[in-house]
Amino acid sequence: MSLNGSSGVGDAASAPVASAAGGFVRACTNCVKAKARCSGTEGGVRCGRCERMEKECQPSPPVRKRRTAKDKMPSRTSKLEEKLDGLVQLLAQTNGGVNTIAIHSLPTPESSSGSTPIVLSGSMQLQMEDAEIYLNRFQTQFAKNLPCIIIPPTTTAQQLRKERPILWLSIMAVASHHPSQQLAISRELRETFGREAFVEARPSLDLLLAVLVYASWDRSFCGEKPIMSSLTRLATSILYDLGLHKPPSKVSVGIPGDDKTERLRYKNLKPRTMEDRRALLGCFLLNSITSYFLKSDSMRWTTYSAECLRMLEESGEFESDKLFVQIVKARLVAEKVLLAPWHETMLDTAHTPRPSALFYLTALENQLQEFKTNIPVELRGNHILLLELHNLEALVYEVGCSPSPDMFPVQSHRRIECLYACLNAVKSCIDILEALTPSQYIGLPFLTYSATSHSFRVFYRLLTFQHPDWDQTLVRQTLDFLSILNELEAKLRNSREDTGLDSDGSDFLDLLAGRIGRIKKWWEATAASPTVEAGGDTTFDGMEFDALQFVDEDWFNDLLGFRN
């Protein structure tokens, strides 16, 4: 009998051997050790090899099959299930056995009911009934003033939380009635922004819309650290990460089978929706306003941006799109005004030949008149659009306050005409603000507060501007600034019943009323003199206010929380 000389497989010799009867017998221990072929032991007869070598022949013990590493390791799914079971048990123990919903989980109809509280930061909870009230409040009092976010009226809070959880959380933060709850949700939301944008790196339209809502309406950060410029940069970076700043690619780019390039190809080929276009235009508005106050670069207006504006205007998908389109058009004219040579935002081009300022002024007046003429009839009484219009007029005619003697011809009355037009525009803005009720103040977006800040700043420039043909006393007679501040402060402090806020002295209206009170004290200190020199210093109650800094909007930036 020949020997089996195979190496490396010790179990081969111990494998069952076919017998002559057709069955299988086990090799003996001697053949197994020698790794030799065995004829098998059957019926107490020694195998051929043991018989020849006169050795005792015993069957080898059975060998148990080894388990592979795959069988020993639990699957990824089972591990996740174990972790989820542990989290559910922990939540049940923490809340005394009450079935609660974690704020970051995506709820299902089975797990979210009308009576189930939603757990926020710490021990703060939000009832689903309150969530429905806040969503309705946002739709009726907030979104109508800046319709860059469209939520159909049939959408419930539970449905929105399931489909857009971060946007839902942002709406809860801006529309909550309770200051302490609003602050808790606001902090929770900012943590979500950081986790989604930087820790997990998951840009999404849900995240972008949530940042736009929070930047436009939330004022809880005014009492803490202002983060408006950070929010603007975050929204812009998400927009670019999603590729929504440009049209979808017509060429399929990507390596088949590669997850990263497959996702990139899907993003580039995905058709743009009206919601995508509103998000792009909303980012433009946010950038346009913050760049003016922070003296930084604005977001570029491109051919695709103009196409999105045109498509939104022509689609007629929602009635509120008409207002949104007009607001964007007003900001486009404002962007051109800021490129005029009399603004600080212009780059130094002293060595470049430039036309006279009157050429710029005439062109801007034509664009302003064209914008006013094309406003739809149904929007000519809208207070948001009127505030934007009068603020735009003040921005155009603010050139009259330029200290440069060469800005206007000596024999021309254009400077005085600009000064009076600017004064009338500021007065129109303030008249609209005085006519608003406290409940309307709640829903005003960041856009409107920026227009208010600019109107106050321009009014101060008109009051302190010195020119032989300009009457500062007429400015005081046209606008009694102290009476305006008194009325605004009283209206804000007595706003609880009208607004429905559960005020404890820490909400935005109370905070704004307190800061208006500080401005009023400063104004009372300066009003004693018949004229105020621009750039002069005034001290009151240990507070030093540089009038020139006031003109440069430092005060109103701090007041409204625009700066980091």
Side-chain angles (χ1 to χ4, degrees):
M1 179 177 289
S2 63
L3 300 178
N4 187 354
S6 63
S7 62
V9 186
D11 293 338
S14 62
V17 181
S19 66
F24 288 92
V25 295
R26 187 163 297 280
C28 69
T29 55
N30 294 327
C31 292
V32 169
K33 290 179 181 180
K35 296 183 179 179
R37 182 176 299 277
C38 181
S39 60
T41 59
E42 188 175 7
V45 180
R46 291 186 294 184
C47 69
R49 183 172 180 275
C50 291
E51 180 69 26
R52 187 176 65 253
M53 301 178 67
E54 297 183 354
K55 291 185 178 181
E56 185 179 357
C57 188
Q58 296 291 337
S60 63
V63 179
R64 184 172 298 177
K65 185 179 179 182
R66 296 178 182 176
R67 294 185 60 186
T68 62
K70 184 177 180 180
D71 295 332
K72 294 180 181 179
M73 295 178 61
S75 65
R76 183 181 179 89
T77 304
S78 62
K79 283 185 177 182
L80 292 175
E81 290 177 349
E82 291 178 2
K83 289 183 179 181
L84 288 176
D85 292 339
L87 288 174
V88 171
Q89 293 176 2
L90 180 61
L91 286 174
Q93 295 173 1
T94 304
N95 296 279
V98 179
N99 183 22
T100 57
I101 305 173
I103 195 68
H104 301 304
S105 63
L106 292 177
T108 61
E110 293 79 15
S111 63
S112 296
S113 62
S115 59
T116 303
I118 302 170
V119 180
L120 302 176
S121 298
S123 59
M124 187 70 66
Q125 292 185 349
L126 175 64
Q127 296 292 336
M128 190 55 72
E129 292 87 349
D130 292 334
E132 294 290 349
I133 295 175
Y134 297 162
L135 177 59
N136 179 262
R137 187 174 181 231
F138 177 80
Q139 291 171 311
T140 57
Q141 298 183 30
F142 289 70
K144 68 176 185 178
N145 295 327
L146 184 61
C148 59
I149 309 291
I150 301 294
I151 301 177
T154 57
T155 303
T156 64
Q158 182 175 340
Q159 180 183 356
L160 181 64
R161 183 169 181 256
K162 181 179 180 181
E163 298 174 356
R164 295 279 171 81
I166 309 178
L167 175 59
W168 172 86
L169 188 61
S170 186
I171 292 175
M172 297 300 106
V174 303
S176 173
H177 291 288
H178 313 287
S180 57
Q181 183 187 69
Q182 190 176 48
L183 186 61
I185 302 176
S186 177
R187 290 176 178 172
E188 183 85 12
L189 182 63
R190 279 180 277 176
E191 291 178 1
T192 303
F193 287 163
R195 184 182 64 254
E196 293 294 316
F198 302 107
V199 179
E200 302 294 340
R202 290 186 298 215
S204 63
L205 185 60
D206 181 24
L207 179 61
L208 175 58
L209 297 179
V211 174
L212 289 177
V213 168
Y214 188 72
S216 298
W217 283 286
D218 189 88
R219 296 293 170 261
S220 60
F221 55 75
C222 287
E224 299 179 337
K225 296 180 179 179
I227 58 172
M228 182 56 69
S229 61
S230 299
L231 290 172
T232 303
R233 295 186 185 98
L234 176 59
T236 306
S237 65
I238 297 172
L239 181 80
Y240 277 77
D241 287 341
L242 296 175
L244 300 182
H245 65 292
K246 59 184 180 180
S249 175
K250 297 180 180 180
V251 180
S252 178
V253 179
I255 302 175
D258 183 74
D259 292 340
K260 184 176 181 180
T261 56
E262 284 288 342
R263 289 194 300 269
L264 180 62
R265 180 171 61 178
Y266 173 75
K267 180 181 72 174
N268 290 336
L269 295 177
K270 181 183 177 183
R272 298 292 183 255
T273 64
M274 288 300 172
E275 190 174 38
D276 296 335
R277 298 183 178 96
R278 291 189 194 94
L280 168 62
L281 299 176
C283 281
F284 168 76
L285 284 178
L286 191 61
N287 273 273
S288 177
I289 298 167
T290 54
S291 64
Y292 172 73
F293 282 97
L294 304 176
K295 304 296 186 294
S296 60
D297 295 332
S298 180
M299 180 177 168
R300 287 183 56 198
W301 182 260
T302 63
T303 304
Y304 178 65
S305 303
E307 180 186 347
C308 289
L309 183 64
R310 178 187 58 80
M311 294 183 66
L312 193 63
E313 183 176 19
E314 295 176 354
S315 68
E317 183 178 12
F318 292 97
E319 187 69 20
S320 58
D321 286 335
K322 294 181 180 179
L323 173 62
F324 187 49
V325 167
Q326 295 303 314
I327 292 175
V328 174
K329 288 184 176 181
R331 289 309 306 177
L332 286 173
V333 179
E335 287 282 310
K336 295 179 180 179
V337 177
L338 297 177
L339 294 177
W342 57 82
H343 275 282
E344 297 178 2
T345 53
M346 270 301 295
L347 298 176
D348 184 14
T349 55
H351 301 290
T352 304
R354 309 189 60 164
S356 168
L358 291 180
F359 285 93
Y360 287 94
L361 181 59
T362 302
L364 292 172
E365 285 181 316
N366 292 336
Q367 294 181 44
L368 176 62
Q369 185 59 41
E370 182 181 1
F371 171 72
K372 292 170 62 175
T373 304
N374 293 330
I375 293 178
V377 177
E378 61 271 22
L379 292 178
R380 293 183 180 178
N382 185 279
H383 62 272
I384 297 295
L385 189 57
L386 286 176
L387 281 170
E388 279 300 299
L389 172 61
H390 297 315
N391 179 62
L392 180 58
E393 291 174 335
L395 190 64
V396 170
Y397 293 113
E398 193 179 357
V399 62
C401 297
S402 173
S404 174
D406 301 328
M407 189 65 66
F408 298 93
V410 178
Q411 301 300 326
S412 172
H413 296 291
R414 288 293 283 156
R415 180 185 293 273
I416 299 302
E417 292 173 357
C418 288
L419 289 172
Y420 277 107
C422 189
L423 179 61
N424 288 330
V426 171
K427 184 179 185 303
S428 298
C429 281
I430 295 178
D431 287 344
I432 294 174
L433 289 173
E434 288 184 300
L436 296 179
T437 63
S439 61
Q440 290 176 308
Y441 281 112
I442 293 295
L444 294 180
F446 167 72
L447 175 82
T448 304
Y449 283 107
S450 67
T452 303
S453 172
H454 178 253
S455 297
F456 285 169
R457 182 186 71 84
V458 173
F459 172 70
Y460 186 83
R461 291 193 67 183
L462 292 170
L463 184 63
T464 60
F465 180 68
Q466 295 183 5
H467 189 273
D469 297 331
W470 183 239
D471 188 0
Q472 295 178 347
T473 305
L474 178 63
V475 180
R476 292 179 181 271
Q477 293 174 351
T478 303
L479 282 174
D480 187 352
F481 194 52
L482 186 59
S483 298
I484 294 171
L485 293 176
N486 282 328
E487 182 178 348
L488 288 176
E489 183 184 15
K491 183 180 292 187
L492 293 173
R493 293 195 183 280
N494 301 321
S495 60
R496 295 188 181 183
E497 292 184 3
D498 193 13
T499 60
L501 291 176
D502 216 2
S503 180
D504 57 0
S506 62
D507 63 85
F508 173 63
L509 293 184
D510 287 328
L511 178 65
L512 190 58
R515 296 190 176 183
I516 287 178
R518 291 185 63 195
I519 299 177
K520 185 179 67 174
K521 289 181 179 180
W522 172 78
W523 188 264
E524 288 172 344
T526 62
S529 60
T531 60
V532 181
E533 295 184 2
D537 293 334
T538 303
T539 304
F540 185 80
D541 284 349
M543 297 181 294
E544 294 185 0
F545 301 150
D546 188 333
L548 184 60
Q549 289 182 350
F550 184 75
V551 170
D552 288 340
E553 302 183 24
D554 285 357
W555 248 57
F556 286 111
N557 287 347
D558 290 334
L559 174 67
L560 300 178
F562 293 159
R563 297 188 301 174
N564 274 336

